[in-house]
Amino acid sequence: MSKSEISFRDRPINLDESGSRKWVYAKKPKGLWYTRRTIFSWFVLLFFVAVPFIRINGNPLILLDIADRKFILFGAIFWAQDSLILALLMLSFIMFIILFTVTFGRLWCGWACPQTIFLEMVFRKIEYLIEGDYRKRHTLDDGPWTREKILKKAAKHFIFIAISLLMTNTFLLWFIGSEKWFQLLAEPIGENISNFSIMLVVSAFFYWVYGWFREQICTMVCPYGRMQGVLLDSRSVVVSYDYKRGEPRGPRTEGDCIDCRQCISVCPTAIDIRNGTQLECINCTACIDQCNSVMKATKKPPGLIRFDSENGIRHGHTSIWNTRNRAYSVVLLVLFSFFIYTLLSRPAIETTIMRTPGLLYQENEGTIISNVYNIKIVNKTHEEMPLEIRLISHQGEIRMAGSKMEISDQDRFESTFILYIDEALLDGDNTKVEFGIYSNDELLERYKSSFLGP
Ligand code: SF4
Ligand code: SF4
């Protein structure tokens, strides 16, 4: 086993023998796959920036309002009460990721993950522009602090900080919505000092990740990356080196690999794909482009490094379907069907009625007993509804606090009411009562609660 093979099995490739970080000076990729990836990244970036401003029925396309426990996905609002539907959606998504990874490896990482998109398509491109390609960057970093170096470093980091601030604010739009964001912007910073501080801390974190920590997120931190070992097998289609064609390697050997090491120089995680599929490979395809250009120069067919499975290289077997991903597809289909069913069958409104905490019962004129309740109703339709609450289990009277009950589309109504019942109708000190929520005399929902008496 060669020294490089031993070291790649022994420790992460971007650490030296003492455990210190080795800075990766990746060569700027060039080629058909890189062009495809760049175009795809424009769509991902556009989606990321545009989503909070796209409206469906007046709601943002996606809103993840954790503070209010309100989630909007493609115009449909989900409240905390919809946790089963959200859990099914989440499970379907996880199952989809597993299925996708089993079949295509870390394709997501190289092509759609925000970490890669921002690092490779935004921050790294700025670095290429200001500091040049890998050799120039290496020389600049190793050289003395000249006027040129100070200017280049200052310009790069200034732009990195500005982009980190923009990124944080765009993320914020996904969580608080554009209206609230513009409202915060119009208010003095002093009134929102905590929000402003959080924004600065998150921006500083992004700046640290993209300015310094970089590929270590993919190789050491990301849990999805760590899962590759259990998800991939010999049938998964990943970026692979065709060792049957390439070996024995060397400039004057029979194998097609001339051992130029260009595929390593272009790799953003600095690995040698010729050692086989590795956890650090994010399937970015930079080595495919680089090797294809070497093959062209040496008048060999392209594809020495390509998307293929271990089985594909060893036996020429190319089908992506196997028992494992068929079984995962069935599970995904079941989960997703269940999600669609629960989504379509969810009630028009969802009511919660609870006696006001800390209050027992009140004795009124004659033999009338009263209890105070808090009511919360969520409207899951796109219609504005007049609402009415009636007691359907007993004879009694309901007096609402405040104005009439009305709820706008996909909104929430919260109020308090007092229920009066004659003591003679009670079953003791704790009587089960049932309410009905009506809209235009149509019963929408029944809700059971308790009524305390003497
Ligand atoms: S770029 Fe291609 S030819 Fe050069 S070392 Fe890598 S696999 Fe071999
Ligand atoms: S081995 Fe190739 S595909 Fe994998 S991360 Fe490196 S350059 Fe990208």
Side-chain angles (χ1 to χ4, degrees):
M1 204 178 279
S2 74
K3 198 177 168 205
S4 77
E5 275 178 291
I6 293 168
S7 64
F8 102 83
R9 288 175 203 283
D10 202 31
R11 59 172 185 270
I13 207 77
N14 55 355
L15 298 184
D16 65 17
E17 280 167 19
S18 67
S20 305
R21 175 155 180 215
K22 283 196 286 181
W23 191 263
V24 176
Y25 291 96
K27 185 178 174 182
K28 185 182 175 193
K30 202 171 129 195
L32 185 63
W33 284 100
Y34 187 62
T35 309
R36 286 177 184 157
R37 208 151 60 93
T38 302
I39 294 169
F40 187 74
S41 75
W42 293 340
F43 286 103
V44 178
L45 287 168
L46 187 70
F47 178 78
F48 174 62
V49 174
V51 156
F53 299 100
I54 300 173
R55 308 259 141 191
I56 297 182
N57 295 320
N59 291 316
L61 188 67
I62 295 175
L63 178 74
L64 309 170
D65 189 345
I66 294 167
D68 272 353
R69 285 173 293 165
K70 175 182 170 185
F71 304 92
I72 303 177
L73 299 173
F74 301 97
I77 297 194
F78 300 91
W79 301 90
Q81 292 89 337
D82 294 315
S83 47
L84 173 68
I85 302 177
L86 288 172
L88 282 169
L89 181 65
M90 192 61 78
L91 278 175
S92 304
F93 182 67
I94 292 170
M95 201 62 229
F96 173 75
I97 295 282
I98 290 174
L99 171 66
F100 192 81
T101 312
V102 163
T103 313
F104 296 111
R106 278 182 96 168
L107 202 62
W108 155 266
C109 302
W111 288 67
C113 172
Q115 160 70 12
T116 312
I117 295 275
F118 277 99
L119 179 58
E120 301 300 328
M121 298 296 165
V122 180
F123 287 88
R124 224 174 309 243
K125 285 196 171 182
I126 291 162
E127 199 166 70
Y128 297 143
L129 208 68
I130 298 175
E131 297 184 357
D133 209 348
Y134 67 131
R135 283 191 217 281
K136 282 190 177 166
R137 293 203 307 275
H138 207 156
T139 313
L140 188 75
D141 283 358
D142 286 352
W145 281 95
T146 58
R147 188 169 173 270
E148 185 201 356
K149 180 168 172 175
I150 292 170
L151 279 177
K152 282 187 171 175
K153 293 285 175 194
K156 183 180 91 170
H157 288 286
F158 177 77
I159 297 173
F160 277 12
I161 290 169
I163 293 177
S164 302
L165 285 165
L166 279 175
M167 270 178 78
T168 308
N169 279 280
T170 313
F171 267 118
L172 213 57
L173 286 166
W174 281 61
F175 290 94
I176 63 171
S178 53
E179 289 99 347
K180 209 163 169 183
W181 185 81
F182 281 118
Q183 188 190 325
L184 284 176
L185 208 64
E187 289 169 4
I189 289 174
E191 284 179 23
N192 293 297
I193 202 75
S194 58
N195 289 332
F196 186 70
S197 310
I198 292 170
M199 192 273 288
L200 285 185
V201 170
V202 176
S203 302
F205 175 73
F206 283 145
Y207 169 62
W208 174 75
V209 166
Y210 295 107
W212 187 79
F213 201 68
R214 299 194 159 189
E215 78 288 345
Q216 294 181 105
I217 291 279
C218 313
T219 59
M220 293 203 264
V221 179
C222 176
Y224 176 60
R226 316 298 298 180
M227 279 162 55
Q228 304 304 307
V230 286
L231 293 176
L232 299 187
D233 63 19
S234 58
R235 293 156 298 188
S236 307
V237 176
V238 291
V239 173
S240 309
Y241 165 69
D242 186 344
Y243 52 88
K244 278 175 86 179
R245 204 186 120 186
E247 302 296 317
R249 66 183 76 161
R252 277 176 291 277
T253 55
E254 278 171 35
D256 280 358
C257 173
I258 58 166
D259 204 16
C260 61
R261 300 177 68 84
Q262 290 287 311
C263 49
I264 307 172
S265 70
V266 83
C267 178
T269 59
I271 58 168
D272 185 347
I273 193 66
R274 296 173 303 165
N275 289 330
T277 303
Q278 290 149 75
L279 174 95
E280 292 90 344
C281 176
I282 55 166
N283 277 225
C284 72
T285 66
C287 55
I288 299 185
D289 277 334
Q290 194 62 35
C291 190
N292 280 347
S293 71
V294 175
M295 291 298 107
K296 194 174 173 194
T298 54
K299 301 197 171 34
K300 304 258 171 63
L304 179 59
I305 301 177
R306 60 175 185 270
F307 273 114
D308 210 337
S309 63
E310 170 63 19
N311 278 0
I313 288 172
R314 187 175 295 187
H315 310 296
H317 178 70
T318 50
S319 170
I320 58 164
W321 289 105
N322 54 61
T323 316
R324 198 174 170 207
N325 58 17
R326 278 195 188 102
Y328 285 145
S329 304
V330 172
V331 177
L332 174 61
L333 197 70
V334 170
L335 276 173
F336 196 68
S337 306
F338 194 33
F339 159 71
I340 295 290
Y341 169 74
T342 48
L343 180 66
L344 295 179
S345 60
R346 70 177 176 162
I349 59 165
E350 186 137 347
T351 308
T352 313
I353 301 172
M354 297 179 81
R355 275 189 303 99
T356 304
L359 287 182
L360 291 173
Y361 61 89
Q362 297 79 45
E363 291 180 12
N364 300 279
E365 247 175 63
T367 54
I368 302 296
I369 305 295
S370 65
N371 278 198
V372 184
Y373 295 84
N374 294 337
I375 180 169
K376 195 190 286 181
I377 303 175
V378 173
N379 180 2
K380 295 177 180 175
T381 70
H382 285 291
E383 288 158 32
E384 205 169 304
M385 287 191 213
L387 292 173
E388 191 191 344
I389 178 166
R390 297 178 194 165
L391 184 66
I392 50 182
S393 58
H394 294 74
Q395 266 197 337
E397 188 192 345
I398 290 173
R399 279 189 212 155
M400 290 298 300
S403 56
K404 59 180 180 172
M405 290 170 73
E406 215 163 49
I407 187 165
S408 44
D409 67 313
Q410 306 218 26
D411 206 353
R412 199 163 46 177
F413 170 86
E414 283 182 60
S415 188
T416 306
F417 67 86
I418 306 173
L419 172 62
Y420 297 87
I421 302 182
D422 194 315
E423 192 181 339
L425 300 174
L426 301 181
D427 302 334
D429 59 355
N430 193 335
T431 305
K432 296 285 166 227
V433 289
E434 190 174 23
F435 300 97
I437 311 297
Y438 291 78
S439 181
N440 297 323
D441 274 340
E442 183 194 348
L443 178 61
L444 297 180
E445 197 182 7
R446 292 167 179 268
Y447 198 93
K448 285 186 179 147
S449 188
S450 60
F451 186 92
L452 297 185

